[in-house]
Amino acid sequence: MTRAKVFKLLIAVQIIVAIMLNTIPIELTFYMNPFYIVGMALGCFLMLKAIVYACPHCGKHQIMLGFFNYRLPTDNCYTCCKKID
Ligand SMILES: [Zn+2]
């Protein structure tokens, strides 16, 4: 598994958790809901990962290109096309 694949998988998990949180009612306090806790933790983790995710060869960021400009990471750098990992 490359970093890009792991990242995309985590995004998929995050989306599933978000859907579950909105559709499945759990008889617990909202903040004690496991989907809420997992969703928040994973959300923070993905944010940090997106910020530090850069090409080791040219140092270009792979996910955050700008404040409103994001892209999904690929196995190769989008600027120098070298393999990441
Ligand atoms: Zn690069």
Side-chain angles (χ1 to χ4, degrees), residues 37-74:
I37 296 161
V38 171
M40 284 298 281
L42 197 59
C44 292
F45 178 72
L46 280 172
M47 280 270 283
L48 283 172
K49 219 166 156 57
I51 292 164
V52 298
Y53 202 118
C55 172
H57 307 286
C58 64
K60 271 272 183 193
H61 283 278
Q62 300 295 301
I63 298 164
M64 276 184 80
L65 307 183
F67 201 73
F68 292 110
N69 196 2
Y70 300 92
R71 66 193 290 284
L72 279 172
T74 54

Side-chain angles (χ1 to χ4, degrees), residues 54-60 62 76-82 84:
C55 172
H57 307 286
C58 64
K60 271 272 183 193
Q62 300 295 301
N76 297 308
C77 174
Y78 76 101
T79 44
C80 67
C81 297
K82 280 182 187 155
I84 297 171

Side-chain angles (χ1 to χ4, degrees), residues 5-70:
K5 286 202 183 77
V6 171
F7 192 83
K8 280 181 216 167
L9 194 78
L10 286 174
I11 288 175
V13 171
Q14 171 76 76
I15 292 164
I16 292 163
V17 169
I19 293 166
M20 298 278 248
L21 179 63
N22 288 318
T23 52
I24 298 171
I26 292 174
E27 298 300 316
L28 282 171
T29 316
F30 187 69
Y31 296 103
M32 288 298 287
N33 188 321
F35 290 121
Y36 178 80
I37 296 161
V38 171
M40 284 298 281
L42 197 59
C44 292
F45 178 72
L46 280 172
M47 280 270 283
L48 283 172
K49 219 166 156 57
I51 292 164
V52 298
Y53 202 118
C55 172
H57 307 286
C58 64
K60 271 272 183 193
H61 283 278
Q62 300 295 301
I63 298 164
M64 276 184 80
L65 307 183
F67 201 73
F68 292 110
N69 196 2
Y70 300 92

